[in-house]
Amino acid sequence: MKLQKNVEKIDEMLVKEIETLHTELAASKDATNELQLNLDSAKGEIEDALKIDQILHSNPKIIPVTHSTGTLDPAGTALAAAGMPGRRTAERLTYFTINEGQPYGKDTLPEDLDPLDYAVYDTLKELTGKPKLIMEKMKSGGKFLAVVAKKC
């Protein structure tokens, strides 16, 4: 079974909707179960994105799939990374925002990041398995195109 959800706003209501869809897929007898999030300039609260990330990865029987378009804020970027490796796609001109503050200095360590930036860093490093690359992006700040994100 494959379920899809179009996402523009990341909030507590979306968390509840994802929980419902995830529960429906968990009850399915199908051999393959996918939950696809279509992220269209998705923006919202990083805390809600992190809750959704946990839900998406709570059952190995359900494959999280993400497709991104537009400009995603840090919460949207975290959700985009929640797709299973090989099942994360984006339009060429999609921008991912990794942090919205000033860029960090070149000697910055993960523990020096603002708490919300650290939450984004920690989530992205776990989901991508590439902590050095994610930290480099955190240091430079701002947005990057999907073609750059492919390296993640």
Side-chain angles (χ1 to χ4, degrees):
M1 179 188 305
K2 180 177 181 178
L3 298 177
Q4 293 188 45
K5 175 68 183 158
N6 295 330
V7 176
E8 291 180 11
K9 185 176 181 183
I10 302 165
D11 57 10
E12 192 60 41
M13 183 186 300
L14 180 64
V15 174
K16 290 179 176 143
E17 290 176 37
I18 297 300
E19 283 176 334
T20 301
L21 293 171
H22 203 264
T23 300
E24 184 179 340
L25 284 170
S28 170
K29 304 286 186 216
D30 291 0
T32 303
N33 294 292
E34 294 182 1
L35 179 51
Q36 179 170 332
L37 301 182
N38 299 311
L39 306 167
D40 184 6
S41 295
K43 295 174 178 25
E45 297 299 321
I46 189 66
E47 293 87 353
D48 293 325
L50 297 177
K51 288 177 191 174
I52 293 168
D53 284 348
Q54 289 179 340
I55 294 166
L56 293 175
H57 292 279
S58 66
N59 186 334
K61 168 181 159 179
I62 301 170
I63 301 166
V65 178
T66 58
H67 181 74
S68 305
T69 60
T71 300
L72 283 68
D73 77 353
T77 299
L79 274 188
M84 187 172 109
R87 303 303 303 270
R88 302 182 275 236
T89 60
E91 300 295 320
R92 276 188 57 225
L93 296 178
T94 300
Y95 281 92
F96 296 95
T97 306
I98 198 149
N99 64 9
E100 296 187 288
Q102 295 295 320
Y104 289 93
K106 66 178 181 160
D107 296 329
T108 302
L109 299 172
E111 54 269 18
D112 300 329
L113 298 173
D114 291 337
L116 286 179
D117 286 345
Y118 183 82
V120 172
Y121 162 78
D122 192 49
T123 300
L124 294 178
K125 83 172 172 90
E126 289 300 318
L127 294 171
T128 65
K130 300 191 178 176
K132 276 181 81 173
L133 188 56
I134 297 301
M135 191 61 203
E136 289 305 313
K137 296 297 175 200
M138 292 300 292
K139 289 178 188 178
S140 63
K143 301 174 185 169
F144 55 96
L145 275 168
V147 292
V148 174
K150 267 192 150 179
K151 296 175 184 173
C152 297

